[in-house]
Amino acid sequence: MSQKLGTLEELPQDYRDAMSAAGVAPLWPMMRNVLPHGAPNPVTRPGYWNYEKLRPLLHRAGELTPVEKAERRVLVLSDPGRGTGAMQATASIYLGLQYLLPGETAPAHVHTPSAVRIIVEGKGGYTVVDGEKLPMEEGDLVLTPGGEWHDHGHEGTEPVVWLDALDLPLFYYLEGSYAKEGPLQAKRNRPDASQVEYRSAGLAPARKLKSGPRRYPMMRYPWVRTEAALREMAKYTDEGPAELDFVNPETGDDVLPTMGFTAKMLAAGQKHEPPLRSSSAAYHVIRGRGVSTINGERFEWGAKDTFTAPVFARITHEAAEESFLIRVHDRPLQEKLGYYEERAR
Ligand code: 1HN
């Protein structure tokens, strides 16, 4: 049976003062806050960002702040539950829209958190990760794993915009977030691994004796392939939408230690009610139009919009036209911690 626990106010003032002076506090008034019954009690609230509204603000950032003054020219998507300025969109996921002008470069650095980029608009942008030049085309997923040097550049003629997702909140909470700076990297003169070693699903470079799988063999997942794969799958999937996880082509594992990525295709009129998951999520709309309801909040979304869901959210998606979404989530982290869970609605 659940007992009602004692409060701080019930305790005599002299005892409270003595505890404070001694640098201690009673657990019992806080017990249900840190350990609620049955399910967590998230601070995170569902969020929605309309790209058309953000676009002019990004352009102005380009006029107002040269990239040299920004290092990374980014507008951060703050969790409504924590308020504007919060450096997180959910408890574990940071989101920002990054803006780079033709000819600009964002300097090389390396840091403990991992990042992924989902390309929103513009041609000619690229990221160099550990000497590998990764072209950024709309909808591509580009990894920057923690501990890998990376810089950005732009050879096109129009501004490029991408969505950054990082596990920064986690590293910051752990007091483990820091960076080192360095010179722009020399680029190897060859296409990225998705065009060379990992052109075809199920095929990987022949293994050498005693060489284990590489941790980050492929760091770019071209959208054209993801969409083609979803379309084929959708033809033969009768239960729920076609969904694909982005995996390490050597091991089948999640592509990053803490963050996972899933692409989903919804046909026009298709409705999807996923189970309640212990993971939090950010959805980015690659193409299409629809409505999602998250814990009762209704978001009408279109191409390039982003929205978020807290842990154990009750989610309903309904596509008004054929739609493609990428979900960024923290299931890999939760599985490593041993508590990832799905509950029936
Ligand atoms: C970072 O390194 C990038 O490399 C973008 O593009 C956003 C937000 C916080 C910390 C590091 C990048 C970031 C970031």
Side-chain angles (χ1 to χ4, degrees), residues 71-72 74 87 94 98 106-107 109 111 113 115 117 144 150 152 162 164 166 168 177:
E71 188 167 327
R72 298 294 189 260
V74 175
M87 294 295 285
Y94 157 102
Q98 187 159 167
H109 67 191
H111 42 67
R117 333 282 171 191
T144 310
H150 56 283
H152 311 300
W162 63 79
D164 291 313
L166 281 85
L168 178 69
S177 181

Side-chain angles (χ1 to χ4, degrees), residues 131-166:
E132 178 160 309
K133 183 178 174 183
L134 305 163
M136 296 166 122
E137 290 173 19
E138 270 187 36
D140 287 1
L141 192 85
V142 172
L143 306 181
T144 310
E148 303 278 346
W149 285 95
H150 56 283
D151 53 70
H152 311 300
H154 188 356
E155 294 162 332
T157 54
E158 300 295 323
V160 293
V161 179
W162 63 79
L163 181 72
D164 291 313
L166 281 85

Side-chain angles (χ1 to χ4, degrees), residues 39-245:
N41 191 8
V43 175
T44 308
R45 291 219 311 260
Y48 165 74
W49 292 268
N50 177 287
Y51 184 65
E52 279 311 311
K53 290 210 176 116
L54 299 181
R55 205 166 176 267
L57 300 177
L58 288 164
H59 284 293
R60 270 198 90 188
E63 289 161 7
L64 295 168
T65 306
V67 73
E68 295 76 24
K69 285 272 190 187
E71 188 167 327
R72 298 294 189 260
R73 194 193 284 114
V74 175
L75 297 183
V76 177
L77 280 51
S78 295
D79 163 30
R82 291 175 169 89
T84 309
M87 294 295 285
Q88 58 199 103
T90 77
S92 72
I93 302 169
Y94 157 102
L95 297 176
L97 282 167
Q98 187 159 167
Y99 185 80
L100 200 63
L101 290 164
E104 287 186 330
T105 52
H109 67 191
V110 60
H111 42 67
T112 46
S114 289
V116 72
R117 333 282 171 191
I118 301 171
I119 317 317
V120 179
E121 72 166 300
K123 290 187 172 66
Y126 63 87
T127 292
V128 186
V129 180
D130 190 26
E132 178 160 309
K133 183 178 174 183
L134 305 163
M136 296 166 122
E137 290 173 19
E138 270 187 36
D140 287 1
L141 192 85
V142 172
L143 306 181
T144 310
E148 303 278 346
W149 285 95
H150 56 283
D151 53 70
H152 311 300
H154 188 356
E155 294 162 332
T157 54
E158 300 295 323
V160 293
V161 179
W162 63 79
L163 181 72
D164 291 313
L166 281 85
D167 51 12
L168 178 69
L170 176 67
F171 281 75
Y172 188 76
Y173 179 77
L174 295 173
E175 299 186 332
S177 181
Y178 69 97
K180 283 182 268 188
E181 287 184 48
L184 288 181
Q185 302 167 79
K187 304 185 262 293
R188 284 190 290 280
N189 188 23
R190 46 158 283 169
D192 70 278
S194 73
Q195 310 296 332
V196 182
E197 289 91 347
Y198 302 98
R199 279 197 80 89
S200 297
L203 291 175
R207 287 158 228 190
K208 307 253 172 6
L209 186 67
K210 286 195 183 146
S211 74
R214 286 162 62 207
R215 197 147 170 237
Y216 302 113
M218 184 167 119
M219 291 184 289
R220 172 176 175 237
Y221 292 75
W223 175 254
V224 284
R225 286 190 204 170
T226 311
E227 181 173 328
L230 283 170
R231 283 187 185 286
E232 265 331 286
M233 229 181 123
K235 286 187 198 164
Y236 305 100
T237 308
D238 8 83
E239 231 183 87
E243 258 188 310
L244 290 166
D245 286 331

Side-chain angles (χ1 to χ4, degrees), residues 46 291-299 310 312-316 345:
V291 179
S292 295
T293 307
I294 302 178
N295 289 344
E297 290 195 52
R298 188 174 186 276
F299 301 130
F312 288 107
R314 182 171 292 272
I315 302 172
T316 304
R345 296 166 68 94

